[in-house]
Amino acid sequence: MTQTAIPSGPTDRRASRRVLISHGERKIWVGGDAPVVVQSMTNTDTANAIETAIQIRDLARAGSELVRLTVDRPEAAEAVPYIREQLDKMEVDVPLVGDFHYNGHTLLNDYPECAKALSKYRINPGNVGKGAKRDSQFAQMIEVAARYDKPVRIGVNWGSLDQALLARIMDENAVRENPWTAQQVMYEALITSAIENAQRAEELGLGRDKIILSCKVSGVQDLIAVYRELGKRCDYPLHLGLTEAGMGSKGIVASTAALSVLLQEGIGDTIRISLTPEPGGDRTKEVVVGQEILQTMGLRKFTPMVIACPGCGRTTSTTFQELADNIQTFLRDQMPEWKKTYPGVEGMNVAVMGCIVNGPGESKHANIGISLPGTGESPAAPVFVDGAKVATLRGERIVEEFQEIVLNYVKKNYSKDHVQI
């Protein structure tokens, strides 16, 4: 029987146009053969410039390559240039995206310093105005973007669809020989709105290389269906994300399920994980989840990965859990500095295993691995570096000693002076 090779990775990404989003020397390409970009959004009051700048700094430090912020009223628009100034003083060069609804045409025209300080605008065509005002107000926003050479995401949302367009498509569907379902009509309205508004933006003078599209919904299967069709109909870069993913594990699972299918099919150029934070929770969680989706799929590398066993009846000690958590936190905390000093370290793998069953074997597959003793096993923890056993740790300082081994490995193998063969 003839056998074919098993595919080893995602489908080649669809050839799409590239959009440049920049601030100063920082340049982020979205689309084409550029890596999938991770972005996030603040949840502070933009008018509180200091609080917002601090959160943007934290999001950027966590790895967000673009950060969006709400610009909803004059006080927010006035704060944007000051936020940008504070970030520049902190040497945080992440590009900022302004999120506009309802009054964006007024704010962008009345506050030109805000329009200039932003690196990109997000426009929701369902919220730019109604009736005769809609076309004029949309045009005003696009004209500002063209004037200042700013890219625009035309972001359609099923919670705020252009009702006139939806009514038009419903009328067209009513005379079909085989009418679509209400769900299919909604899909078509989302896609049509995005593409028609992109074409309108081009007619108004915005370059084709300045446009990104999104059609965001909250359902996993809905998102997959809409983006599959949108990807067939246009070559604009696409922004992926559930519009409201939810809280905790539900939000993480839903986002992973939807985005992984699309990314595997080569659809999507930038992502945002719209998690609802736990009360008092850390906003940077959405950045970490986005990075981990891309890294576990093999699409990008952001931080060394920790492989850890789930534990079972053989691992009644919590030592391996504590060590895995300690090392994972340590590695992520080091990355803002390590990525400047140790190029390639983000591809390192570390294994923290809990017993003899898979411990030594899994540890040998990693760059660095430790196999901690399971229940009833000898109280010794062999350490493997690039497949070879280099040490056996014992006693109460296993965590500190293993962390030191990891640090030495990074310094030896990823310094800028180190040449890997």
Short mmCIF file of all heavy atoms in Angstrom, two decimals, residues 295 303-307 345-351 365-369 409 414:
data_model
loop_
_atom_site.label_atom_id
_atom_site.label_comp_id
_atom_site.label_asym_id
_atom_site.label_seq_id
_atom_site.Cartn_x
_atom_site.Cartn_y
_atom_site.Cartn_z
N GLN A 295 2.98 29.43 20.49
CA GLN A 295 4.19 28.66 20.73
C GLN A 295 3.91 27.17 20.77
O GLN A 295 4.67 26.38 20.21
CB GLN A 295 4.89 29.11 22.01
CG GLN A 295 6.25 28.44 22.22
CD GLN A 295 7.20 29.27 23.04
OE1 GLN A 295 6.95 30.44 23.34
NE2 GLN A 295 8.32 28.68 23.41
N THR A 303 9.10 32.31 24.88
CA THR A 303 9.77 32.08 26.16
C THR A 303 10.05 30.59 26.28
O THR A 303 9.32 29.77 25.69
CB THR A 303 8.87 32.55 27.32
OG1 THR A 303 9.61 32.55 28.53
CG2 THR A 303 7.64 31.69 27.47
N PRO A 304 11.11 30.19 26.98
CA PRO A 304 11.38 28.76 27.13
C PRO A 304 10.16 28.02 27.68
O PRO A 304 9.47 28.50 28.57
CB PRO A 304 12.53 28.74 28.14
CG PRO A 304 13.23 30.04 27.93
CD PRO A 304 12.14 31.03 27.64
N MET A 305 9.90 26.87 27.10
CA MET A 305 8.73 26.08 27.49
C MET A 305 9.10 25.08 28.58
O MET A 305 10.14 24.41 28.50
CB MET A 305 8.18 25.33 26.29
CG MET A 305 7.65 26.24 25.19
SD MET A 305 6.15 27.13 25.67
CE MET A 305 4.94 25.83 25.60
N VAL A 306 8.24 24.96 29.58
CA VAL A 306 8.43 23.99 30.65
C VAL A 306 7.49 22.82 30.42
O VAL A 306 6.27 23.00 30.34
CB VAL A 306 8.18 24.62 32.03
CG1 VAL A 306 8.28 23.56 33.12
CG2 VAL A 306 9.19 25.74 32.29
N ILE A 307 8.06 21.63 30.28
CA ILE A 307 7.28 20.41 30.14
C ILE A 307 7.20 19.78 31.52
O ILE A 307 8.23 19.53 32.15
CB ILE A 307 7.97 19.44 29.16
CG1 ILE A 307 8.14 20.10 27.80
CG2 ILE A 307 7.18 18.14 29.04
CD1 ILE A 307 9.22 19.46 26.95
N VAL A 345 17.12 32.03 23.15
CA VAL A 345 16.77 31.35 24.40
C VAL A 345 15.29 31.02 24.46
O VAL A 345 14.88 30.08 25.15
CB VAL A 345 17.20 32.20 25.62
CG1 VAL A 345 16.34 33.45 25.75
CG2 VAL A 345 17.13 31.37 26.90
N GLU A 346 14.47 31.76 23.72
CA GLU A 346 13.03 31.51 23.75
C GLU A 346 12.68 30.12 23.20
O GLU A 346 11.58 29.62 23.42
CB GLU A 346 12.28 32.58 22.96
CG GLU A 346 12.60 32.65 21.48
CD GLU A 346 13.82 33.49 21.17
OE1 GLU A 346 14.51 33.95 22.12
OE2 GLU A 346 14.10 33.72 19.98
N GLY A 347 13.62 29.47 22.51
CA GLY A 347 13.37 28.13 21.98
C GLY A 347 13.81 27.01 22.90
O GLY A 347 13.65 25.83 22.56
N MET A 348 14.33 27.35 24.07
CA MET A 348 14.80 26.33 25.00
C MET A 348 13.64 25.58 25.64
O MET A 348 12.60 26.15 25.93
CB MET A 348 15.65 27.00 26.10
CG MET A 348 16.24 26.04 27.12
SD MET A 348 17.33 26.90 28.30
CE MET A 348 16.11 27.82 29.28
N ASN A 349 13.83 24.26 25.87
CA ASN A 349 12.82 23.44 26.54
C ASN A 349 13.38 22.92 27.86
O ASN A 349 14.52 22.46 27.92
CB ASN A 349 12.43 22.25 25.66
CG ASN A 349 11.60 22.67 24.47
OD1 ASN A 349 10.73 23.51 24.59
ND2 ASN A 349 11.89 22.10 23.31
N VAL A 350 12.56 22.99 28.90
CA VAL A 350 12.95 22.52 30.23
C VAL A 350 11.90 21.50 30.69
O VAL A 350 10.70 21.77 30.61
CB VAL A 350 13.02 23.69 31.24
CG1 VAL A 350 13.40 23.17 32.62
CG2 VAL A 350 14.03 24.73 30.76
N ALA A 351 12.35 20.34 31.14
CA ALA A 351 11.43 19.30 31.62
C ALA A 351 11.53 19.16 33.13
O ALA A 351 12.63 19.08 33.68
CB ALA A 351 11.74 17.96 30.95
N HIS A 365 14.95 14.36 26.35
CA HIS A 365 14.47 15.02 25.13
C HIS A 365 14.54 16.54 25.23
O HIS A 365 14.57 17.24 24.21
CB HIS A 365 13.02 14.60 24.83
CG HIS A 365 12.88 13.20 24.34
ND1 HIS A 365 13.57 12.70 23.27
CD2 HIS A 365 12.13 12.16 24.81
CE1 HIS A 365 13.25 11.44 23.07
NE2 HIS A 365 12.38 11.08 24.00
N ALA A 366 14.56 17.07 26.44
CA ALA A 366 14.60 18.53 26.64
C ALA A 366 16.05 19.02 26.64
O ALA A 366 16.99 18.24 26.73
CB ALA A 366 13.94 18.87 27.98
N ASN A 367 16.21 20.34 26.53
CA ASN A 367 17.55 20.92 26.67
C ASN A 367 18.08 20.67 28.07
O ASN A 367 19.25 20.32 28.27
CB ASN A 367 17.53 22.42 26.38
CG ASN A 367 17.13 22.73 24.94
OD1 ASN A 367 16.03 23.20 24.70
ND2 ASN A 367 18.02 22.43 23.99
N ILE A 368 17.21 20.87 29.06
CA ILE A 368 17.55 20.62 30.45
C ILE A 368 16.36 19.92 31.09
O ILE A 368 15.21 20.35 30.90
CB ILE A 368 17.82 21.92 31.24
CG1 ILE A 368 18.82 22.79 30.51
CG2 ILE A 368 18.31 21.61 32.64
CD1 ILE A 368 18.95 24.16 31.10
N GLY A 369 16.60 18.86 31.83
CA GLY A 369 15.50 18.15 32.47
C GLY A 369 15.90 17.61 33.82
O GLY A 369 17.06 17.29 34.06
N TYR A 409 23.27 27.25 31.90
CA TYR A 409 23.06 26.73 30.54
C TYR A 409 22.73 27.87 29.58
O TYR A 409 23.24 27.93 28.45
CB TYR A 409 21.94 25.70 30.54
CG TYR A 409 21.69 25.06 29.20
CD1 TYR A 409 22.37 23.90 28.83
CD2 TYR A 409 20.78 25.59 28.29
CE1 TYR A 409 22.16 23.29 27.60
CE2 TYR A 409 20.56 25.01 27.06
CZ TYR A 409 21.25 23.85 26.71
OH TYR A 409 21.03 23.27 25.48
N TYR A 414 23.48 30.62 24.89
CA TYR A 414 22.72 31.64 24.16
C TYR A 414 23.31 33.04 24.22
O TYR A 414 22.68 33.99 23.79
CB TYR A 414 21.27 31.68 24.68
CG TYR A 414 20.53 30.39 24.46
CD1 TYR A 414 20.34 29.50 25.52
CD2 TYR A 414 20.04 30.05 23.21
CE1 TYR A 414 19.66 28.30 25.33
CE2 TYR A 414 19.37 28.85 23.01
CZ TYR A 414 19.18 27.97 24.08
OH TYR A 414 18.52 26.80 23.89
#
